[in-house]
Amino acid sequence: MLPQLFARLSELERFERAALDVGAEFVEVLLEPVEKDPLRRFHDRDDGSDPWHPIVREIVAESGGDEHLRTYEAKLTDLLAHRPATKVVSSVAGEVEATYGSLCAALSDC
């Protein structure tokens, strides 16, 4: 399992090829927020309990801030159009266990 967010088709295909070359199964899952405001969700995520989030926030700011997030979202939408086998799992802010259950259900279909 590689928990990562790829928005570049060539990069995703590279990992897929690596898995298939060693006989592993490759399953692609996109956790998609139900809320249609990913910017707000990103900014609301930092409650001070995760030491990694300030670093992520800094990386995003240095990459262009909200405009970078909007561009990334557009890239993901485009990527999905090229990857029809991608399993899309709905994610509701704050509903970690429900999202995890949906992820497990999606993976059990493999």
Side-chain angles (χ1 to χ4, degrees):
M1 178 176 282
L2 177 66
Q4 189 51 269
L5 178 61
F6 295 113
R8 187 177 310 135
L9 183 59
S10 62
E11 189 174 7
L12 181 59
E13 288 172 337
R14 203 174 94 229
F15 281 92
E16 179 180 30
R17 192 168 34 260
L20 297 176
D21 284 352
V22 297
E25 184 177 6
F26 183 83
V27 179
E28 187 176 345
V29 178
L30 174 68
L31 296 178
E32 183 176 64
V34 171
E35 303 86 357
K36 295 304 176 193
D37 188 357
L39 295 177
R40 190 193 64 179
R41 185 164 173 174
F42 174 79
H43 292 295
D44 288 350
R45 186 175 293 145
D46 188 8
D47 65 1
S49 65
D50 182 358
W52 176 243
H53 200 77
I55 296 166
V56 171
R57 187 181 295 283
E58 184 177 321
I59 292 168
V60 168
E62 290 173 357
S63 298
D66 287 352
E67 188 56 35
H68 173 73
L69 294 175
R70 284 186 199 93
T71 300
Y72 213 88
E73 180 184 21
K75 287 180 181 181
L76 283 175
T77 299
D78 185 56
L79 184 65
L80 265 180
H82 291 91
R83 305 290 294 189
T86 301
K87 296 179 178 295
V88 178
V89 173
S90 294
S91 172
V92 178
E95 298 292 329
V96 176
E97 292 300 320
T99 302
Y100 179 69
S102 297
L103 173 63
C104 289
L107 293 175
S108 70
D109 290 341
C110 302

